[in-house]
Amino acid sequence: MKKSDTAVNTNESGFFTILYDLFRSLKLTISLLILLSILSIIGTLIAQKASPSEYIQRYGPGLYEVLNFFNLFDMYHSWWFSAILVFLVINLITCSIQRFPGVWRQISHQPGTGSLEDSMLKTLPYVEKVRAPGQAGAKTEEDIRSNLKKWFRNARRMETESAVTLYSEKGRFSRLGVYITHLSLLIILIGGIIGSLYGFRGYVNILEGETVDQIYERGEDREIPRPLSFSVRCDDFNVTYYDLPGRKEKNVKEYTSIITILDKGKEVLKESVRVNHPLHYKGLAFYQSSYGAIHDVTLGIQWRGKKEKTVFQVMEGNTIQIPNTNTLIRLLKFEHQVHNFGEGVQVVLFKPNQEPRPFWLLRSFPKFDEQRGDEFILNVEGVTEKEYTGLQVTKDPGVWVVWIGCGLMILGIIVSFFFSHQRVWVRIPKGSGGEIVLAGSANKNRVGFEKNFGELADGVRSFGKK
């Protein structure tokens, strides 16, 4: 092999070694978790997936461009947020791979056929020596074995020419608790990535008695319709208020929607949807998020110099064409009280080659629009108010993956904090005289183990006094 080839291989090996050391670093784990915490706080402070006009009004055009460039308005679906999660996944995997083989050897290791050697006593943290009774025989061994069963599993017997060693342990697999927790974090992160890539969040407003078959997602500059494979009908909507004596204002206690799902024209599900009590169907969750009223306004139009009047209807927020004209009219909003003049609607006209300007029409003053000086006069003929329910619609295919991860995390925490790997050796000399040697170790909960070990030693001492 040429020297240049050797140098290239050495450089590649060195690069991968550096990369592997980086990903198995605990400092990287802490840094990524801190970064995710900071980003989560930012994602809470900055409303996600709102309209650009809301962001511009709140932050101004300059700051809006900066925040939008870094995709902070939809950060949980951004490539860099997913990349941080992937880095954390790789970090947890490499940390586990590095430490798992040694732990597995401790779990799967079985003591040899020999007795407890003196060399082992130097490495074990708990050692007690008790003078053996005059003749340590089968009776002494059976007494010690029965005493061991109080705290540990059935002891394994190992015999040599000079002694018999009883070995017992419990909680061997408690060493896996930390790796169960690592696995749970991986599953939760994978579930989050699945939800980020394949899930969505939308909304829909449904009038009482109305049926819809699509919802809307908020895009950067528009609302994106998303069709459903079924229909959703709002049968009823109710608002309950608190009964507070002595107070005129009404405080909402609860608002509830009666929702019916229609699939292929048939009613398949009917439920009451309340806050924090969603309806689930075909992987979608419908949450009660808002409510309100929308107004269907009847407008009259009269041409100057003519007695005939034409009426037409337009719903709040909609744009229609005025009959017999090339002019569009949009009803911006309805108000019950406009500067103490009573009910009124704000509209805007869209005419060719003219800048649209909003203006008000007052129901109690039919000729109020004459001052505008247009070729026709508009007035409010009637108003019909309809309540609507606002539903948030979410799809998160990774939610069950996250729940499985949470269950594993609880299991891992219980195993890690409430169980420990405890081992005990008792060496009983053959014949008369000598010492009974007790030795033990525990990887956690050493205080509890020390108490049990002490009681075991006291029990052995009591056998020698019989």
Side-chain angles (χ1 to χ4, degrees), residues 142-198:
E142 186 60 31
D143 289 339
I144 294 175
R145 182 185 290 273
S146 63
N147 203 25
L148 273 173
K149 287 183 180 180
K150 294 180 181 179
W151 298 284
F152 302 95
R153 296 170 56 187
N154 291 333
R156 178 181 176 184
R157 188 176 189 274
M158 297 171 287
E159 186 175 359
T160 61
E161 294 180 359
S162 60
V164 172
T165 299
L166 299 178
Y167 171 76
S168 185
E169 66 176 337
K170 69 175 181 179
R172 177 188 299 182
F173 288 94
S174 66
R175 293 182 180 271
L176 293 177
V178 65
Y179 297 99
I180 296 175
T181 306
H182 280 189
L183 178 61
S184 70
L185 287 173
L186 291 176
I187 293 175
I188 290 172
L189 290 173
I190 291 171
I193 293 173
I194 292 173
S196 176
L197 294 177
Y198 301 105

Short mmCIF file of all heavy atoms in Angstrom, two decimals, residues 142-198:
data_model
loop_
_atom_site.label_atom_id
_atom_site.label_comp_id
_atom_site.label_asym_id
_atom_site.label_seq_id
_atom_site.Cartn_x
_atom_site.Cartn_y
_atom_site.Cartn_z
N GLU A 142 -28.24 -25.11 55.81
CA GLU A 142 -29.68 -24.99 55.59
C GLU A 142 -30.26 -23.78 56.31
O GLU A 142 -31.15 -23.09 55.78
CB GLU A 142 -30.37 -26.27 56.07
CG GLU A 142 -31.86 -26.34 55.75
CD GLU A 142 -32.12 -26.27 54.26
OE1 GLU A 142 -31.27 -26.75 53.47
OE2 GLU A 142 -33.17 -25.71 53.87
N ASP A 143 -29.74 -23.51 57.53
CA ASP A 143 -30.21 -22.32 58.25
C ASP A 143 -29.87 -21.05 57.49
O ASP A 143 -30.69 -20.12 57.38
CB ASP A 143 -29.58 -22.29 59.65
CG ASP A 143 -30.16 -23.36 60.56
OD1 ASP A 143 -31.26 -23.85 60.25
OD2 ASP A 143 -29.49 -23.71 61.55
N ILE A 144 -28.65 -20.97 56.97
CA ILE A 144 -28.22 -19.78 56.22
C ILE A 144 -29.03 -19.66 54.93
O ILE A 144 -29.44 -18.56 54.53
CB ILE A 144 -26.71 -19.84 55.94
CG1 ILE A 144 -25.92 -19.75 57.25
CG2 ILE A 144 -26.30 -18.73 54.98
CD1 ILE A 144 -24.43 -19.93 57.09
N ARG A 145 -29.27 -20.77 54.26
CA ARG A 145 -30.04 -20.74 53.01
C ARG A 145 -31.47 -20.21 53.25
O ARG A 145 -31.97 -19.39 52.49
CB ARG A 145 -30.08 -22.14 52.40
CG ARG A 145 -30.82 -22.21 51.06
CD ARG A 145 -30.93 -23.66 50.60
NE ARG A 145 -29.63 -24.17 50.22
CZ ARG A 145 -29.10 -24.04 49.00
NH1 ARG A 145 -29.77 -23.38 48.07
NH2 ARG A 145 -27.92 -24.55 48.73
N SER A 146 -32.10 -20.70 54.32
CA SER A 146 -33.45 -20.23 54.63
C SER A 146 -33.45 -18.76 55.02
O SER A 146 -34.41 -18.02 54.73
CB SER A 146 -34.04 -21.08 55.76
OG SER A 146 -33.29 -20.92 56.96
N ASN A 147 -32.38 -18.30 55.66
CA ASN A 147 -32.27 -16.88 56.01
C ASN A 147 -32.08 -16.01 54.77
O ASN A 147 -32.59 -14.89 54.69
CB ASN A 147 -31.11 -16.68 56.99
CG ASN A 147 -31.27 -15.41 57.81
OD1 ASN A 147 -32.38 -14.94 58.01
ND2 ASN A 147 -30.15 -14.87 58.28
N LEU A 148 -31.36 -16.53 53.80
CA LEU A 148 -31.15 -15.79 52.54
C LEU A 148 -32.46 -15.58 51.79
O LEU A 148 -32.66 -14.56 51.12
CB LEU A 148 -30.16 -16.55 51.65
CG LEU A 148 -28.67 -16.28 51.84
CD1 LEU A 148 -27.85 -17.24 51.00
CD2 LEU A 148 -28.33 -14.85 51.49
N LYS A 149 -33.37 -16.56 51.89
CA LYS A 149 -34.62 -16.47 51.14
C LYS A 149 -35.50 -15.30 51.58
O LYS A 149 -36.42 -14.92 50.86
CB LYS A 149 -35.40 -17.78 51.31
CG LYS A 149 -34.82 -18.95 50.54
CD LYS A 149 -35.71 -20.18 50.70
CE LYS A 149 -35.14 -21.37 49.94
NZ LYS A 149 -36.00 -22.57 50.11
N LYS A 150 -35.21 -14.74 52.77
CA LYS A 150 -36.02 -13.62 53.24
C LYS A 150 -35.85 -12.39 52.35
O LYS A 150 -36.76 -11.57 52.23
CB LYS A 150 -35.65 -13.27 54.68
CG LYS A 150 -35.98 -14.35 55.69
CD LYS A 150 -35.56 -13.91 57.08
CE LYS A 150 -35.86 -14.98 58.13
NZ LYS A 150 -35.42 -14.55 59.49
N TRP A 151 -34.65 -12.23 51.77
CA TRP A 151 -34.37 -11.02 50.98
C TRP A 151 -33.97 -11.31 49.54
O TRP A 151 -34.06 -10.43 48.70
CB TRP A 151 -33.24 -10.22 51.64
CG TRP A 151 -33.57 -9.75 53.01
CD1 TRP A 151 -34.40 -8.72 53.36
CD2 TRP A 151 -33.14 -10.33 54.24
NE1 TRP A 151 -34.48 -8.59 54.71
CE2 TRP A 151 -33.71 -9.56 55.30
CE3 TRP A 151 -32.30 -11.39 54.58
CZ2 TRP A 151 -33.48 -9.84 56.64
CZ3 TRP A 151 -32.08 -11.66 55.92
CH2 TRP A 151 -32.67 -10.91 56.93
N PHE A 152 -33.53 -12.53 49.26
CA PHE A 152 -33.00 -12.83 47.93
C PHE A 152 -33.64 -14.09 47.37
O PHE A 152 -34.40 -14.79 48.05
CB PHE A 152 -31.47 -12.99 47.99
CG PHE A 152 -30.76 -11.79 48.52
CD1 PHE A 152 -30.42 -11.71 49.87
CD2 PHE A 152 -30.45 -10.73 47.70
CE1 PHE A 152 -29.77 -10.60 50.37
CE2 PHE A 152 -29.81 -9.61 48.19
CZ PHE A 152 -29.47 -9.54 49.53
N ARG A 153 -33.30 -14.38 46.12
CA ARG A 153 -33.82 -15.57 45.47
C ARG A 153 -33.11 -16.82 46.00
O ARG A 153 -32.17 -16.73 46.77
CB ARG A 153 -33.62 -15.45 43.96
CG ARG A 153 -34.41 -14.31 43.32
CD ARG A 153 -33.99 -14.07 41.89
NE ARG A 153 -34.13 -15.29 41.09
CZ ARG A 153 -33.69 -15.39 39.83
NH1 ARG A 153 -33.08 -14.35 39.26
NH2 ARG A 153 -33.86 -16.50 39.15
N ASN A 154 -33.58 -17.98 45.55
CA ASN A 154 -32.94 -19.23 45.96
C ASN A 154 -31.45 -19.20 45.64
O ASN A 154 -31.03 -18.83 44.53
CB ASN A 154 -33.59 -20.41 45.24
CG ASN A 154 -35.01 -20.66 45.73
OD1 ASN A 154 -35.34 -20.32 46.87
ND2 ASN A 154 -35.85 -21.24 44.89
N ALA A 155 -30.68 -19.56 46.61
CA ALA A 155 -29.22 -19.46 46.47
C ALA A 155 -28.67 -20.58 45.59
O ALA A 155 -29.18 -21.71 45.59
CB ALA A 155 -28.57 -19.51 47.85
N ARG A 156 -27.62 -20.25 44.88
CA ARG A 156 -26.90 -21.24 44.09
C ARG A 156 -25.74 -21.78 44.93
O ARG A 156 -25.02 -21.02 45.56
CB ARG A 156 -26.39 -20.60 42.81
CG ARG A 156 -25.59 -21.54 41.92
CD ARG A 156 -25.11 -20.80 40.69
NE ARG A 156 -24.27 -21.67 39.87
CZ ARG A 156 -23.66 -21.28 38.77
NH1 ARG A 156 -23.79 -20.02 38.37
NH2 ARG A 156 -22.91 -22.11 38.08
N ARG A 157 -25.55 -23.07 44.90
CA ARG A 157 -24.53 -23.72 45.74
C ARG A 157 -23.30 -24.05 44.90
O ARG A 157 -23.39 -24.65 43.83
CB ARG A 157 -25.09 -25.01 46.36
CG ARG A 157 -24.20 -25.66 47.40
CD ARG A 157 -24.94 -26.85 47.98
NE ARG A 157 -24.24 -27.41 49.12
CZ ARG A 157 -23.25 -28.33 49.04
NH1 ARG A 157 -22.85 -28.78 47.85
NH2 ARG A 157 -22.69 -28.80 50.13
N MET A 158 -22.15 -23.63 45.43
CA MET A 158 -20.85 -23.92 44.77
C MET A 158 -19.93 -24.52 45.83
O MET A 158 -19.72 -23.94 46.89
CB MET A 158 -20.24 -22.64 44.19
CG MET A 158 -21.10 -22.00 43.08
SD MET A 158 -20.53 -20.37 42.58
CE MET A 158 -21.02 -19.41 44.00
N GLU A 159 -19.37 -25.68 45.52
CA GLU A 159 -18.60 -26.43 46.52
C GLU A 159 -17.17 -26.66 46.05
O GLU A 159 -16.92 -26.97 44.88
CB GLU A 159 -19.28 -27.77 46.81
CG GLU A 159 -18.64 -28.56 47.92
CD GLU A 159 -19.41 -29.82 48.25
OE1 GLU A 159 -20.46 -30.08 47.61
OE2 GLU A 159 -18.95 -30.57 49.15
N THR A 160 -16.23 -26.49 46.99
CA THR A 160 -14.83 -26.84 46.78
C THR A 160 -14.40 -27.78 47.89
O THR A 160 -15.20 -28.17 48.75
CB THR A 160 -13.96 -25.58 46.77
OG1 THR A 160 -14.07 -24.92 48.04
CG2 THR A 160 -14.38 -24.62 45.67
N GLU A 161 -13.12 -28.12 47.92
CA GLU A 161 -12.62 -29.06 48.94
C GLU A 161 -12.71 -28.47 50.34
O GLU A 161 -12.92 -29.19 51.32
CB GLU A 161 -11.18 -29.45 48.64
CG GLU A 161 -11.02 -30.26 47.36
CD GLU A 161 -9.58 -30.63 47.12
OE1 GLU A 161 -8.72 -30.23 47.94
OE2 GLU A 161 -9.30 -31.32 46.12
N SER A 162 -12.56 -27.15 50.45
CA SER A 162 -12.47 -26.55 51.78
C SER A 162 -13.72 -25.81 52.22
O SER A 162 -13.86 -25.49 53.41
CB SER A 162 -11.29 -25.57 51.83
OG SER A 162 -11.47 -24.54 50.85
N ALA A 163 -14.63 -25.47 51.29
CA ALA A 163 -15.78 -24.65 51.68
C ALA A 163 -16.95 -24.84 50.73
O ALA A 163 -16.78 -25.35 49.61
CB ALA A 163 -15.37 -23.17 51.73
N VAL A 164 -18.09 -24.40 51.21
CA VAL A 164 -19.29 -24.33 50.39
C VAL A 164 -19.70 -22.86 50.29
O VAL A 164 -19.77 -22.16 51.31
CB VAL A 164 -20.45 -25.16 51.00
CG1 VAL A 164 -21.75 -24.92 50.24
CG2 VAL A 164 -20.11 -26.64 51.00
N THR A 165 -19.95 -22.38 49.09
CA THR A 165 -20.34 -20.98 48.88
C THR A 165 -21.77 -20.93 48.37
O THR A 165 -22.11 -21.62 47.39
CB THR A 165 -19.41 -20.28 47.88
OG1 THR A 165 -18.07 -20.29 48.39
CG2 THR A 165 -19.84 -18.84 47.64
N LEU A 166 -22.59 -20.14 49.03
CA LEU A 166 -23.96 -19.88 48.59
C LEU A 166 -23.99 -18.49 47.94
O LEU A 166 -23.54 -17.51 48.54
CB LEU A 166 -24.93 -19.92 49.77
CG LEU A 166 -25.02 -21.25 50.53
CD1 LEU A 166 -25.99 -21.11 51.70
CD2 LEU A 166 -25.46 -22.38 49.61
N TYR A 167 -24.50 -18.47 46.71
CA TYR A 167 -24.56 -17.19 45.96
C TYR A 167 -26.02 -16.90 45.62
O TYR A 167 -26.73 -17.75 45.08
CB TYR A 167 -23.74 -17.27 44.68
CG TYR A 167 -23.94 -16.07 43.77
CD1 TYR A 167 -23.33 -14.85 44.05
CD2 TYR A 167 -24.74 -16.16 42.63
CE1 TYR A 167 -23.51 -13.76 43.22
CE2 TYR A 167 -24.92 -15.06 41.80
CZ TYR A 167 -24.32 -13.87 42.11
OH TYR A 167 -24.49 -12.78 41.29
N SER A 168 -26.48 -15.69 45.96
CA SER A 168 -27.85 -15.29 45.66
C SER A 168 -27.86 -13.83 45.19
O SER A 168 -27.00 -13.03 45.59
CB SER A 168 -28.73 -15.45 46.91
OG SER A 168 -30.07 -15.16 46.59
N GLU A 169 -28.84 -13.52 44.37
CA GLU A 169 -28.95 -12.15 43.85
C GLU A 169 -30.40 -11.85 43.52
O GLU A 169 -31.24 -12.75 43.44
CB GLU A 169 -28.09 -11.99 42.59
CG GLU A 169 -28.57 -12.82 41.41
CD GLU A 169 -27.77 -12.57 40.14
OE1 GLU A 169 -27.17 -11.49 40.04
OE2 GLU A 169 -27.78 -13.45 39.27
N LYS A 170 -30.68 -10.57 43.33
CA LYS A 170 -32.00 -10.14 42.86
C LYS A 170 -31.85 -8.80 42.15
O LYS A 170 -30.87 -8.07 42.35
CB LYS A 170 -32.98 -10.02 44.02
CG LYS A 170 -32.71 -8.88 44.98
CD LYS A 170 -33.81 -8.77 46.02
CE LYS A 170 -33.57 -7.61 46.98
NZ LYS A 170 -34.65 -7.48 47.98
N GLY A 171 -32.82 -8.52 41.31
CA GLY A 171 -32.82 -7.23 40.59
C GLY A 171 -31.75 -7.14 39.52
O GLY A 171 -31.27 -6.05 39.22
N ARG A 172 -31.38 -8.29 38.93
CA ARG A 172 -30.31 -8.27 37.93
C ARG A 172 -30.67 -7.36 36.75
O ARG A 172 -29.85 -6.58 36.28
CB ARG A 172 -30.05 -9.69 37.42
CG ARG A 172 -29.01 -9.77 36.32
CD ARG A 172 -28.93 -11.15 35.71
NE ARG A 172 -28.56 -12.17 36.69
CZ ARG A 172 -28.39 -13.45 36.36
NH1 ARG A 172 -28.59 -13.86 35.12
NH2 ARG A 172 -28.04 -14.32 37.30
N PHE A 173 -31.91 -7.42 36.32
CA PHE A 173 -32.30 -6.66 35.14
C PHE A 173 -32.65 -5.20 35.46
O PHE A 173 -33.05 -4.45 34.59
CB PHE A 173 -33.49 -7.34 34.45
CG PHE A 173 -33.12 -8.61 33.75
CD1 PHE A 173 -33.26 -9.83 34.39
CD2 PHE A 173 -32.60 -8.59 32.47
CE1 PHE A 173 -32.92 -11.01 33.76
CE2 PHE A 173 -32.24 -9.76 31.83
CZ PHE A 173 -32.40 -10.98 32.47
N SER A 174 -32.48 -4.79 36.72
CA SER A 174 -32.68 -3.38 37.05
C SER A 174 -31.62 -2.50 36.40
O SER A 174 -31.82 -1.29 36.24
CB SER A 174 -32.66 -3.18 38.57
OG SER A 174 -31.38 -3.47 39.10
N ARG A 175 -30.51 -3.11 36.01
CA ARG A 175 -29.47 -2.34 35.31
C ARG A 175 -29.94 -1.88 33.93
O ARG A 175 -29.33 -0.99 33.34
CB ARG A 175 -28.21 -3.19 35.16
CG ARG A 175 -27.51 -3.51 36.48
CD ARG A 175 -26.25 -4.31 36.26
NE ARG A 175 -25.57 -4.61 37.52
CZ ARG A 175 -24.66 -3.83 38.09
NH1 ARG A 175 -24.33 -2.69 37.50
NH2 ARG A 175 -24.09 -4.17 39.23
N LEU A 176 -31.01 -2.49 33.45
CA LEU A 176 -31.54 -2.09 32.14
C LEU A 176 -32.48 -0.89 32.23
O LEU A 176 -32.96 -0.41 31.21
CB LEU A 176 -32.30 -3.26 31.50
CG LEU A 176 -31.46 -4.47 31.08
CD1 LEU A 176 -32.36 -5.56 30.53
CD2 LEU A 176 -30.42 -4.07 30.04
N GLY A 177 -32.76 -0.40 33.45
CA GLY A 177 -33.71 0.69 33.61
C GLY A 177 -33.33 1.92 32.81
O GLY A 177 -34.17 2.53 32.14
N VAL A 178 -32.07 2.29 32.84
CA VAL A 178 -31.64 3.49 32.12
C VAL A 178 -31.77 3.31 30.62
O VAL A 178 -32.10 4.24 29.88
CB VAL A 178 -30.18 3.85 32.51
CG1 VAL A 178 -29.21 2.77 32.06
CG2 VAL A 178 -29.78 5.19 31.91
N TYR A 179 -31.58 2.06 30.14
CA TYR A 179 -31.69 1.82 28.70
C TYR A 179 -33.14 1.75 28.26
O TYR A 179 -33.46 2.10 27.12
CB TYR A 179 -30.93 0.53 28.34
CG TYR A 179 -29.46 0.67 28.64
CD1 TYR A 179 -28.92 0.14 29.80
CD2 TYR A 179 -28.63 1.37 27.79
CE1 TYR A 179 -27.58 0.29 30.10
CE2 TYR A 179 -27.29 1.53 28.07
CZ TYR A 179 -26.77 1.00 29.23
OH TYR A 179 -25.44 1.17 29.53
N ILE A 180 -34.02 1.29 29.16
CA ILE A 180 -35.45 1.37 28.86
C ILE A 180 -35.87 2.84 28.73
O ILE A 180 -36.65 3.21 27.85
CB ILE A 180 -36.27 0.65 29.96
CG1 ILE A 180 -35.95 -0.84 29.97
CG2 ILE A 180 -37.76 0.87 29.74
CD1 ILE A 180 -36.61 -1.59 31.10
N THR A 181 -35.33 3.68 29.62
CA THR A 181 -35.63 5.12 29.54
C THR A 181 -35.08 5.72 28.26
O THR A 181 -35.75 6.53 27.60
CB THR A 181 -35.03 5.85 30.76
OG1 THR A 181 -35.49 5.22 31.97
CG2 THR A 181 -35.45 7.31 30.78
N HIS A 182 -33.86 5.33 27.88
CA HIS A 182 -33.28 5.80 26.61
C HIS A 182 -34.17 5.38 25.44
O HIS A 182 -34.44 6.17 24.52
CB HIS A 182 -31.88 5.23 26.43
CG HIS A 182 -30.84 5.98 27.20
ND1 HIS A 182 -29.50 5.76 27.07
CD2 HIS A 182 -30.95 6.95 28.15
CE1 HIS A 182 -28.83 6.54 27.88
NE2 HIS A 182 -29.69 7.28 28.55
N LEU A 183 -34.60 4.11 25.47
CA LEU A 183 -35.46 3.62 24.38
C LEU A 183 -36.77 4.39 24.34
O LEU A 183 -37.27 4.71 23.25
CB LEU A 183 -35.73 2.13 24.59
CG LEU A 183 -36.65 1.46 23.57
CD1 LEU A 183 -36.05 1.54 22.17
CD2 LEU A 183 -36.92 0.01 23.96
N SER A 184 -37.32 4.71 25.51
CA SER A 184 -38.58 5.47 25.54
C SER A 184 -38.39 6.86 24.93
O SER A 184 -39.26 7.34 24.19
CB SER A 184 -39.09 5.58 26.97
OG SER A 184 -38.27 6.43 27.76
N LEU A 185 -37.26 7.49 25.22
CA LEU A 185 -36.99 8.81 24.62
C LEU A 185 -36.88 8.71 23.11
O LEU A 185 -37.39 9.57 22.38
CB LEU A 185 -35.70 9.39 25.21
CG LEU A 185 -35.78 9.90 26.65
CD1 LEU A 185 -34.39 10.27 27.15
CD2 LEU A 185 -36.70 11.10 26.74
N LEU A 186 -36.23 7.65 22.63
CA LEU A 186 -36.11 7.46 21.19
C LEU A 186 -37.49 7.29 20.55
O LEU A 186 -37.78 7.88 19.51
CB LEU A 186 -35.24 6.24 20.89
CG LEU A 186 -33.75 6.34 21.21
CD1 LEU A 186 -33.06 5.01 20.95
CD2 LEU A 186 -33.10 7.44 20.40
N ILE A 187 -38.33 6.48 21.20
CA ILE A 187 -39.67 6.25 20.66
C ILE A 187 -40.49 7.54 20.66
O ILE A 187 -41.21 7.85 19.70
CB ILE A 187 -40.38 5.14 21.46
CG1 ILE A 187 -39.67 3.80 21.24
CG2 ILE A 187 -41.85 5.03 21.07
CD1 ILE A 187 -40.21 2.67 22.09
N ILE A 188 -40.38 8.32 21.75
CA ILE A 188 -41.10 9.60 21.81
C ILE A 188 -40.62 10.55 20.72
O ILE A 188 -41.43 11.21 20.04
CB ILE A 188 -40.92 10.24 23.20
CG1 ILE A 188 -41.68 9.43 24.26
CG2 ILE A 188 -41.43 11.68 23.22
CD1 ILE A 188 -41.41 9.86 25.68
N LEU A 189 -39.31 10.62 20.52
CA LEU A 189 -38.77 11.49 19.47
C LEU A 189 -39.21 11.03 18.09
O LEU A 189 -39.56 11.84 17.22
CB LEU A 189 -37.24 11.52 19.56
CG LEU A 189 -36.66 12.25 20.78
CD1 LEU A 189 -35.16 12.06 20.85
CD2 LEU A 189 -37.00 13.73 20.75
N ILE A 190 -39.19 9.71 17.86
CA ILE A 190 -39.63 9.19 16.57
C ILE A 190 -41.11 9.50 16.35
O ILE A 190 -41.54 9.89 15.26
CB ILE A 190 -39.37 7.67 16.49
CG1 ILE A 190 -37.86 7.40 16.43
CG2 ILE A 190 -40.06 7.04 15.29
CD1 ILE A 190 -37.48 5.94 16.57
N GLY A 191 -41.92 9.35 17.42
CA GLY A 191 -43.33 9.70 17.31
C GLY A 191 -43.52 11.17 16.99
O GLY A 191 -44.39 11.54 16.20
N GLY A 192 -42.69 12.03 17.62
CA GLY A 192 -42.76 13.47 17.32
C GLY A 192 -42.39 13.77 15.88
O GLY A 192 -43.02 14.61 15.23
N ILE A 193 -41.38 13.09 15.36
CA ILE A 193 -40.97 13.30 13.97
C ILE A 193 -42.06 12.82 13.01
O ILE A 193 -42.38 13.49 12.01
CB ILE A 193 -39.64 12.58 13.69
CG1 ILE A 193 -38.50 13.23 14.49
CG2 ILE A 193 -39.31 12.59 12.21
CD1 ILE A 193 -37.19 12.49 14.43
N ILE A 194 -42.68 11.66 13.32
CA ILE A 194 -43.77 11.16 12.48
C ILE A 194 -44.93 12.16 12.46
O ILE A 194 -45.49 12.47 11.39
CB ILE A 194 -44.25 9.78 12.99
CG1 ILE A 194 -43.16 8.73 12.77
CG2 ILE A 194 -45.54 9.36 12.28
CD1 ILE A 194 -43.49 7.39 13.40
N GLY A 195 -45.28 12.67 13.64
CA GLY A 195 -46.36 13.65 13.71
C GLY A 195 -46.03 14.93 12.97
O GLY A 195 -46.89 15.54 12.33
N SER A 196 -44.75 15.33 13.05
CA SER A 196 -44.33 16.56 12.37
C SER A 196 -44.38 16.42 10.86
O SER A 196 -44.75 17.35 10.15
CB SER A 196 -42.91 16.93 12.82
OG SER A 196 -42.43 18.06 12.11
N LEU A 197 -44.02 15.23 10.35
CA LEU A 197 -43.95 15.03 8.90
C LEU A 197 -45.31 14.71 8.29
O LEU A 197 -45.61 15.15 7.17
CB LEU A 197 -42.96 13.91 8.58
CG LEU A 197 -41.48 14.18 8.92
CD1 LEU A 197 -40.64 12.95 8.62
CD2 LEU A 197 -40.96 15.38 8.14
N TYR A 198 -46.12 13.93 9.00
CA TYR A 198 -47.35 13.42 8.40
C TYR A 198 -48.62 13.95 9.07
O TYR A 198 -49.72 13.61 8.62
CB TYR A 198 -47.36 11.88 8.45
CG TYR A 198 -46.19 11.27 7.73
CD1 TYR A 198 -45.12 10.73 8.44
CD2 TYR A 198 -46.13 11.25 6.33
CE1 TYR A 198 -44.02 10.17 7.78
CE2 TYR A 198 -45.04 10.70 5.68
CZ TYR A 198 -43.99 10.16 6.41
OH TYR A 198 -42.92 9.62 5.76
#
